[in-house]
Amino acid sequence: MSLIQRHTAGEVSPANGTTHEVETSVKSNIAVNGEYRLLTLDAPQCVLDCQPGQFFHILCPVTTTEQPYLRRPMSIYGYSADKGELQFLYKVTGEGTRALATLAKGDRLNVLGPLGVGFRIRDDWQNLLLLARGVGLATLAPLAQEAQRLNRKLVAICSARSADVLMSIDHFKSLGAEVITVTDAEGTSGLENLREIIEGRIAAQGVDAMYTCGSNRMLKLLQEIGATHNIPGEIALEQQMACGLGMCQCCVRSFNRKGVITQERVCREGPVFGIEEAMAW
């Protein structure tokens, strides 16, 4: 019997829940801007018990021009048990995402998940701050959804090259977050300006926890600020994966646990880790 079984036959258990392999139906697959697309799937209830920061392993379609071999890990952008929907925001960059971009309403898509360990919001974390750039905002969108559910205050600092490729602004606002935008074009996305913005928030209203995704420079910035002010935080790491279940060891990277360097799998022990233990590459 294989480790991964189809939903009709059984389940496998990841680090923090139950994983299913299911066939979903495409509701829509639309362009958000010149670079990103939003894929909305009609998904069964069994895969909609998700946590912010988790991901799915997607079996990209094979076309006459695109023939992706391995599944592609993709962070959850949105999920709704009431609507039966699962959403992914993605940038068309390679063979897998080019194949995903060909999907039309009614097409079938095989997904495996939810996978990995997601973000947490502790009971004593009332004032939250997230910092992300580009597609990293997709990973943090469900965190805003959870913050609203828990009635927490959230400041979302959204970064991009220019205003026309800023994403999720209206989505974050609809979830009650205060949104601050910075761009390269306006000269506001530099680290010193980001530091000033965050330090200002800490001084004005306090910050109990900080969250980010992927970017090494943002990781280092939040590590420095967190160490100075004793503020914890979490990062969702981006890493190439093969199996997504921890067996292939493809996504192993180093972490600093109180001065001891350890090796852990991003797909299994993560993809969310404490900011203080993540090591920039």
Side-chain angles (χ1 to χ4, degrees):
M1 182 179 294
S2 63
L3 175 62
I4 304 173
Q5 300 178 15
R6 296 192 179 277
H7 171 52
T8 54
E11 311 170 343
V12 294
S13 296
N16 65 336
T18 301
T19 289
H20 304 264
E21 182 186 6
V22 298
E23 294 290 326
T24 65
S25 176
V26 176
K27 280 191 172 182
S28 62
N29 188 18
I30 60 173
V32 175
N33 54 41
E35 295 185 348
Y36 295 92
R37 299 183 67 87
L38 177 62
L39 174 63
T40 302
L41 304 175
D42 186 357
Q45 293 292 316
C46 63
V47 299
L48 295 173
D49 184 16
C50 304
Q51 294 181 9
Q54 287 186 301
F55 69 98
F56 277 76
H57 226 195
I58 296 176
L59 187 62
C60 300
V62 173
T63 71
T64 55
T65 57
E66 310 295 345
Q67 299 182 354
Y69 179 67
L70 295 173
R71 288 178 180 264
R72 297 301 195 269
M74 195 161 290
S75 299
I76 302 165
Y77 180 70
Y79 56 93
S80 171
D82 292 337
K83 296 180 181 179
E85 286 185 354
L86 183 63
Q87 292 183 315
F88 301 96
L89 187 67
Y90 65 99
K91 183 176 182 179
V92 180
T93 57
E95 192 172 32
T97 48
R98 286 196 301 267
L100 284 178
T102 67
L103 292 171
K105 183 177 180 179
D107 287 346
R108 307 295 292 177
L109 183 66
N110 180 290
V111 302
L112 174 68
L115 292 165
V117 177
F119 291 110
R120 60 175 182 153
I121 302 177
R122 282 186 358 197
D123 292 342
D124 57 338
W125 292 353
Q126 297 296 318
N127 295 305
L128 312 178
L129 182 143
L130 68 83
L131 171 65
R133 181 178 172 90
V135 77
L137 292 165
T139 303
L140 291 164
L143 182 67
Q145 181 177 325
E146 183 68 3
Q148 182 191 50
R149 187 184 74 82
L150 295 174
N151 196 31
R152 309 297 168 85
K153 294 180 180 179
L154 177 66
V155 175
I157 305 174
C158 304
S159 175
R161 290 196 317 275
S162 58
D164 60 315
V165 290
L166 275 168
M167 294 180 302
S168 306
I169 306 304
D170 291 338
H171 182 57
F172 282 126
K173 289 180 178 178
S174 72
L175 294 171
E178 177 186 351
V179 177
I180 299 171
T181 62
V182 296
T183 66
D184 299 350
E186 297 170 327
T188 55
S189 62
L191 289 181
E192 288 312 308
N193 188 55
L194 289 173
R195 185 189 301 274
E196 185 176 337
I197 292 171
I198 296 170
E199 293 279 2
R201 288 288 155 180
I202 294 171
Q205 64 186 41
V207 172
D208 297 318
M210 302 181 293
Y211 301 87
T212 191
C213 175
S215 168
N216 278 336
R217 70 186 193 108
M218 290 182 176
L219 167 61
K220 291 178 180 178
L221 175 64
L222 294 188
Q223 284 177 332
E224 292 172 5
I225 294 174
T228 300
H229 297 279
N230 195 29
I231 298 174
E234 294 185 334
I235 181 171
L237 295 175
E238 299 170 349
Q239 195 77 3
Q240 289 185 334
M241 299 176 188
C243 74
L245 295 166
M247 295 182 292
C248 71
Q249 310 292 312
C250 176
C251 62
V252 170
R253 62 185 289 173
S254 300
F255 295 86
N256 188 337
R257 294 276 166 76
K258 298 181 179 179
V260 177
I261 305 303
T262 65
Q263 308 297 319
E264 299 200 359
R265 300 162 296 182
V266 171
C267 74
R268 187 74 177 181
E269 285 76 50
V272 175
F273 295 88
I275 282 178
E276 73 285 349
E277 64 191 20
M279 297 177 67
W281 280 22

